[in-house]
Amino acid sequence: MRFLITLALSALCFASPAMSQDRPANALPWDRPFLPPAPAWDGASRDLLRPADDAWATAFEQDAEHDFSPDYAATRAWFERLDAASDLIRIEQFGTSPQGRPIYAVIASRDGAQFDPSKPVLLVQAGIHPGEIDGKDAGMMLLRDIALYGRDDLLDRVNLILIPILSVDGHERSGAYSRPNQRGPRIQGWRNTATNQNLNRDFLKLDQPEMQAVMGLIHRYQPDLYVDVHVTDGIDYQYDITYGYNGENGVWSRSPETARWLDSSFRPFVDSALSGRGHIPGELVFAIDDRNPRAGLSDGGLGERFSNGWGSAAHVPTILIENHSLKPHEQRVLGTYVFLEAAMRLLADRGGELRQAWQADAALRPEEIPTNFVPTDTPIRTVDFLGIRYETYESPASGRTEIRWLGEADPEIWRMPFYGSRPGLILDRPEAYWVPSYRTDIIERLRIHGLEMETLTAPRTVEVQMLSLPDAAFAARPNEGHVPMTAGEPVTETRAWTFPTGSVRVPTDQPMGDIAVLLLEPQSTESFFAWGFFLEIFSRVEYIEAYAIAPLAEQMLASDPELRAAFEARLAEDPEFAADGDARLAWFYERTPFYDQHYRLYPIAREH
């Protein structure tokens, strides 16, 4: 059966009559006839392309159909050649992948190794999902044009850092079958890393060396704007370059001043640049029902595991680009180039305003931290939407009604309900957290996040709040290499607790204080606890035999009227408990000093 499926896919993918005769004999044809047709496009941004015979044409530009992206080695070699040719370009390794590949950034600056602190910094990240590699090809063109083709004025008042490939191991697990919903490039990298992790779920927990390296780069260069370039999936529509940030259109944000500036200054300028070059910019598109496109849109959630959510909490202005997967690779790459150039020009003119905005956000210390966002029950507004015509048909394969996109712009503007997010939980901000010294993994991740902390040089006893988690539960299946947890309703106890040498006190009165709350409160769905980092507290130590607890329990009943009343009430209200001798004895054991007092006790304490 697998052999027959492979033959069928080969026939679909590689039997196109429209293959270019200019391709090398060993190149793979890329037409995917099962994808919807793409609307015709001939944008003015095509004039950004260098001729294929230009000595500095990229592999993307040399390809006859502009549907190719080079591998890791070829990309690095091309950048090394550019570095050698221009004093404006330098390469900096900032990490190493699990398979031993250098993770590097390409830096464009007139300042040399030491940036002028008055200049805004734009950090562009490509290839966190290596199949979605538009940012790499656009960045190669832009850096080449800055270095050699007259766009060096962009560096007069702005510095640019490009991460061409973040997930370098996933980039090299490449082939023709990586992303079936995406139109090009014809050879694509793999979504996950060599350790089968999705880096775009790792901005807060920092499991992976790639993400830990990115955090180091961010804290070293302190970018004024961080752009994370992706290619989306989902429904068809007219927009080719969509992008967004937490807090757009005036909704709640952890960084409200930043969101206001992006709304009022950034989006109008960049949208105008894109439209003027033949692109159709739009906000991020998350359909609530891919099989019923007009049912409505959502904001996609505000989780800090993603770049835009993390950026809002860390007060690093962050934009998530999601180019449209059904548009040709050429169209997406050129739109990304226009976006990045426009961002640099705006930062040159108004970057000081953005810096003031994010610095104001970094000074915020809200007493309450909304988290665990869920979709609103009703739409928060109605939006205009540029849709693509479609029809429905009965599929003999699925046995149900399916969508067939027709590749034609719908002349009717769709009026779409838009659903936002609301917090499912409000957390109080403590004065500080205490992390015991033996959790070096947690302490190190907090440090990588840039959190300031005090490290004990001698044991210290402090009065703190400790949380017991009697209702905590395991998820039904693993996620990202962890067994997720829900904390349930904690029981809070005030205790005098001794923290050994090497333990840390993490104050929340700091710019990254919201990050500390989100990571260290076990009820937060973005916390280390929720990701399953504290499974050891669910191992109960020491037991008691029935021959010992039964007479002890009888003494307890005889000597403690309140305990007897509670026990009799439990028997009356829970017949299953009343009929279970082991459960009855366990009830007494839990109320003795012999019981494991650390069982289900969360080891990170709050200071109020």
Side-chain angles (χ1 to χ4, degrees):
M1 177 62 75
R2 182 177 179 183
F3 176 69
L4 293 176
I5 291 172
T6 302
L7 286 178
L9 283 172
S10 298
L12 279 171
C13 296
F14 301 151
S16 168
M19 280 182 59
S20 168
Q21 298 303 310
D22 297 327
R23 282 186 179 161
N26 62 347
L28 293 172
W30 184 248
D31 291 341
R32 291 186 170 188
F34 51 81
L35 289 181
W41 182 79
D42 189 22
S45 60
R46 278 203 168 121
D47 67 7
L48 296 170
L49 295 164
R50 304 299 304 176
D53 60 356
D54 187 295
W56 285 101
T58 66
F60 159 77
E61 292 168 304
Q62 291 172 347
D63 183 66
E65 297 179 12
H66 302 138
D67 198 25
F68 180 75
S69 189
D71 65 14
Y72 174 90
T75 302
R76 179 62 187 260
W78 190 91
F79 276 123
E80 287 176 347
R81 191 161 66 96
L82 188 65
D83 182 6
S86 172
D87 292 337
L88 301 176
I89 304 296
R90 64 183 172 90
I91 298 171
E92 178 179 317
Q93 180 178 341
F94 63 93
T96 303
S97 77
Q99 291 183 335
R101 294 182 177 90
I103 308 171
Y104 64 94
V106 184
I107 299 173
S109 174
R110 294 190 186 281
D111 300 343
Q114 189 68 39
F115 280 180
D116 178 348
S118 69
K119 288 184 181 179
V121 177
L122 173 62
L123 172 60
V124 180
Q125 173 184 287
I128 189 172
H129 289 155
E132 307 165 27
I133 203 62
D134 303 356
K136 178 188 77 176
D137 294 304
M140 293 174 77
M141 293 174 60
L142 178 59
L143 285 165
R144 180 266 322 276
D145 291 348
I146 289 172
L148 303 172
Y149 287 97
R151 279 188 165 80
D152 56 310
D153 65 302
L154 290 169
L155 299 182
D156 289 348
R157 290 179 290 163
V158 179
N159 288 316
L160 172 64
I161 303 171
L162 171 71
I163 303 172
I165 313 165
L166 177 57
S167 181
V168 291
D169 295 341
H171 188 278
E172 294 309 279
R173 184 184 171 184
S174 61
Y177 299 108
S178 290
R179 285 179 60 77
N181 304 312
Q182 181 175 308
R183 180 168 276 113
R186 62 181 180 268
I187 300 297
Q188 301 166 339
W190 195 251
R191 182 178 183 84
N192 278 17
T193 67
T195 57
N196 201 30
Q197 302 299 303
N198 186 340
L199 295 182
N200 197 41
R201 306 294 185 270
D202 200 31
F203 275 87
L204 215 59
K205 59 183 172 63
L206 296 184
D207 253 354
Q208 303 305 310
E210 296 95 334
M211 288 308 304
Q212 293 177 9
V214 166
M215 286 299 156
L217 189 75
I218 288 171
H219 291 301
R220 184 157 65 254
Y221 286 103
Q222 298 184 318
D224 294 272
L225 183 63
Y226 176 33
V227 176
D228 180 20
V229 186
H230 291 248
V231 179
T232 191
D233 294 312
I235 66 173
D236 203 356
Y237 42 79
Q238 296 178 45
Y239 310 103
D240 55 356
I241 310 298
T242 70
Y243 64 97
Y245 38 89
N246 279 25
E248 58 189 323
N249 295 311
V251 303
W252 181 86
S253 171
R254 301 193 197 280
S255 292
E257 292 301 319
T258 295
R260 276 191 278 273
W261 188 87
L262 293 172
D263 272 346
S264 63
S265 299
F266 187 89
R267 187 175 286 280
F269 185 88
V270 172
D271 281 4
S272 176
L274 286 163
S275 299
R277 302 290 277 156
H279 296 275
I280 306 179
E283 297 179 11
L284 295 174
V285 177
F286 299 100
I288 63 173
D289 184 351
D290 287 354
R291 298 180 61 248
N292 181 14
R294 291 187 184 238
L297 305 171
S298 79
D299 62 11
L302 304 176
E304 287 79 17
R305 68 188 61 187
F306 307 108
S307 61
N308 49 326
W310 167 83
S312 179
H315 313 305
V316 176
T318 302
I319 289 177
L320 170 63
I321 293 180
E322 289 278 7
N323 295 332
H324 189 217
S325 60
L326 294 177
K327 302 300 186 290
H329 184 55
E330 175 193 46
Q331 183 176 350
R332 302 193 315 260
V333 168
L334 296 178
T336 305
Y337 182 120
V338 174
F339 181 103
L340 298 179
E341 181 184 4
M344 291 186 72
R345 294 199 182 280
L346 181 61
L347 287 176
D349 290 338
R350 304 182 64 179
E353 298 172 10
L354 177 57
R355 184 169 291 184
Q356 290 177 355
W358 69 253
Q359 287 175 344
D361 292 331
L364 296 174
R365 302 291 186 269
E367 293 183 3
E368 294 184 332
I369 310 292
T371 188
N372 297 9
F373 287 88
V374 295
T376 55
D377 297 325
T378 57
I380 62 173
R381 64 178 186 273
T382 302
V383 299
D384 290 344
F385 188 76
L386 302 181
I388 291 287
R389 291 184 59 241
Y390 66 93
E391 62 186 14
T392 60
Y393 71 101
E394 297 303 314
S395 168
S398 70
R400 67 185 185 188
T401 302
E402 301 290 350
I403 293 284
R404 179 184 288 121
W405 297 101
L406 303 178
E408 302 168 6
D410 194 330
E412 173 194 354
I413 294 179
W414 299 3
R415 295 287 291 162
M416 299 277 273
F418 187 92
Y419 294 80
S421 295
R422 60 176 178 81
L425 179 68
I426 305 293
L427 296 168
D428 293 330
R429 185 190 204 93
E431 186 171 335
Y433 292 97
W434 287 84
V435 184
S437 57
Y438 66 87
R439 289 314 303 257
T440 55
D441 57 333
I442 301 297
I443 294 170
E444 179 60 21
R445 290 170 203 234
L446 295 173
R447 284 203 175 99
I448 293 170
H449 268 298
L451 279 153
E452 300 170 0
M453 60 189 76
E454 175 193 0
T455 302
L456 298 190
T457 57
R460 187 183 304 177
T461 301
V462 291
E463 187 174 276
V464 291
Q465 286 184 341
M466 303 293 291
L467 301 180
S468 181
L469 305 174
D471 301 324
F474 294 83
R477 61 179 184 178
N479 183 26
E480 297 296 321
H482 293 276
V483 179
M485 302 286 303
T486 54
E489 189 63 36
V491 176
T492 303
E493 306 172 30
T494 299
R495 298 190 183 189
W497 200 265
T498 300
F499 289 90
T501 301
S503 300
V504 298
R505 179 183 182 271
V506 185
T508 63
D509 184 12
Q510 57 177 303
M512 299 290 285
D514 288 8
I515 294 286
V517 176
L518 293 167
L519 281 171
L520 298 178
E521 287 290 336
Q523 288 181 290
S524 163
T525 54
E526 301 289 355
S527 68
F528 290 126
F529 178 86
W531 279 106
F533 278 73
F534 292 93
L535 301 184
E536 72 276 8
I537 71 173
F538 298 98
S539 297
R540 182 159 61 92
V541 181
E542 296 296 353
Y543 297 85
I544 190 168
E545 300 292 349
Y547 62 74
I549 187 60
L552 178 57
E554 292 157 13
Q555 294 175 20
M556 294 165 68
L557 284 171
S559 62
D560 191 337
E562 289 186 7
L563 182 137
R564 174 182 287 276
F567 179 62
E568 290 175 348
R570 178 70 186 275
L571 294 176
E573 70 189 17
D574 189 346
E576 186 175 339
F577 170 79
D580 187 339
D582 288 338
R584 290 167 63 141
L585 292 178
W587 188 89
F588 287 99
Y589 178 40
E590 292 171 10
R591 287 155 178 79
T592 73
F594 297 104
Y595 190 74
D596 182 0
Q597 300 301 309
H598 288 198
Y599 178 53
R600 290 181 175 257
L601 184 69
Y602 183 56
I604 293 176
R606 296 170 174 161
E607 178 187 321
H608 278 274

